[in-house]
Amino acid sequence: MTKRKTAAPVAIPAKAYELYDKYAHGMLNRRDFLTAIAGLAAGTATAATILGGLMPNYALAAQISFNDPDITARYQTFPAPEGHGEGRGYLVMPAKAEARLPVVLVIHENRGLNPYIEDVARRLAKAGFIAFAPDALWPLGGYPGNDDEGRQMQRSMDSQKIIADLKAATRWLKQLEAGSGKLGVVGFCFGGAMTGLLAAELPELVDAGVPFYGSPPPADKIANIKAPLLVQLGELDTRVNEMWPAAEALMTQHQVPYQMHRYPDSHHGFHNDSTARYNKETAELAWQRTIDFFRLHLS
């Protein structure tokens, strides 16, 4: 494992996390976001330090090197006839496998296949799974190298075609020659929402799902879910958390197997170790629960 880098502590006001969440999800434009951040600056917390702490630094997020000897990684295309025709993603496998392995689809946030998500795929391969992380931005050339542009690109795309591409990736992975036929899905933010959606719309394909701080599956499709779900939420993520009580009631009503964890002192994006939203203690606990959950349900 690559030695974990750490960033210097940054004093970030609580309001700044709320503003960043709105900006990252299209509820606040960049100019208004920067103006609001400037208004929070006080004492040693300048607008530049606040902004620097909120924006991702992907050099901090590499826990598993791309050339780790225990894994093999490559970019792989797949057919998506009902979507954009072709998709592409990051396929990572354990270097040595004596049998077919369970497969995990990794779905990124609302900005394309960034280095953090690629590292998540490597972490899964290091734990003994085949992992595949598709890039929704591939039809436009792929993740552009920065999140702001990536968000704009993803926002410009036909959401139904993105969903069709993700469904195509799911079908392709379910039949992967090296796979065992068992398929899990894990996603973050947008990817968390897509995890629940795929479980609801492809119940014959998804065997387990772990949505991290994503909106719940559509209410009228929750009854379709067969796969067990492990829902991972940050206690301070009120925007997403407010969506879940009604979904929980429906999952209970329809006997959907699920577990839910709300992690204390944790913001939206608490698992993303490239920003100040990262909460090391809860991220590591949530990730260990994810690995244990997949080992239980994909064995």
Side-chain angles (χ1 to χ4, degrees):
M1 180 178 289
T2 300
K3 184 178 180 180
R4 183 74 168 84
K5 306 177 185 71
T6 57
V10 177
I12 297 180
K15 182 67 175 178
Y17 291 105
E18 179 184 339
L19 292 169
Y20 180 78
D21 186 66
K22 289 181 178 180
Y23 168 63
H25 295 91
M27 294 176 277
L28 194 65
N29 64 42
R30 183 171 178 81
R31 184 183 64 181
D32 290 344
F33 169 63
L34 294 176
T35 299
I37 289 295
L40 296 177
T44 59
T46 66
T49 59
I50 294 171
L51 188 61
L54 289 170
M55 303 304 284
N57 180 349
Y58 288 123
L60 301 176
Q63 295 189 22
I64 307 295
S65 171
F66 70 92
N67 60 4
D68 187 296
D70 292 336
I71 63 171
T72 62
R74 70 178 189 270
Y75 294 97
Q76 174 73 49
T77 59
F78 61 91
E82 296 179 3
H84 290 95
E86 180 184 76
R88 191 180 83 148
Y90 188 56
L91 181 65
V92 195
M93 300 184 178
K96 298 179 181 179
E98 298 179 357
R100 293 185 178 185
L101 299 173
V103 182
V104 179
L105 176 66
V106 184
I107 309 180
H108 59 66
E109 306 131 316
N110 64 341
R111 62 211 69 172
L113 180 57
N114 59 39
Y116 154 66
I117 295 296
E118 290 189 344
D119 194 67
V120 169
R122 292 194 293 269
R123 296 174 208 175
L124 282 161
K126 189 80 170 179
F129 301 93
I130 297 171
F132 183 69
D135 188 352
L137 304 185
W138 173 241
L140 300 183
Y143 175 70
N146 72 84
D147 282 13
D148 279 352
E149 188 178 346
R151 273 190 289 265
Q152 294 172 9
M153 289 170 65
Q154 190 160 327
R155 201 174 295 138
S156 75
M157 298 174 71
D158 183 334
S159 61
Q160 292 306 307
K161 282 196 171 185
I162 291 177
I163 292 171
D165 288 345
L166 292 174
K167 288 181 176 179
T170 305
R171 295 186 181 99
W172 175 73
L173 285 174
K174 190 73 172 181
Q175 303 299 322
L176 196 69
E177 185 175 351
S180 66
K182 290 289 189 177
L183 175 68
V185 185
V186 61
F188 305 85
C189 185
F190 162 80
M194 291 299 99
T195 298
L197 181 70
L198 293 177
E201 296 196 350
L202 299 176
E204 73 284 3
L205 299 181
V206 177
D207 296 299
V210 184
F212 276 77
Y213 33 81
S215 56
D220 61 346
K221 297 180 179 179
I222 284 177
N224 298 338
I225 299 174
K226 298 178 182 177
L229 300 179
L230 176 64
V231 183
Q232 313 263 37
L233 303 174
E235 185 182 61
L236 303 177
D237 187 8
T238 55
R239 177 182 61 83
V240 169
N241 293 348
E242 289 173 356
M243 304 178 189
W244 274 96
E248 281 191 87
L250 287 171
M251 289 194 292
T252 300
Q253 176 186 336
H254 295 294
Q255 299 182 328
V256 174
Y258 80 97
Q259 304 172 42
M260 179 177 288
H261 297 286
R262 285 186 174 87
Y263 295 93
D265 301 318
S266 298
H267 293 276
H268 185 90
F270 70 83
H271 185 266
N272 187 333
D273 49 357
S274 69
T275 79
R277 296 175 297 160
Y278 176 60
N279 184 321
K280 184 177 186 296
E281 181 179 355
T282 56
E284 290 180 351
L285 175 58
W287 188 246
Q288 187 57 57
R289 284 172 170 165
T290 299
I291 296 298
D292 291 344
F293 187 77
F294 282 147
R295 284 175 175 160
L296 175 64
H297 294 289
L298 303 181
S299 61

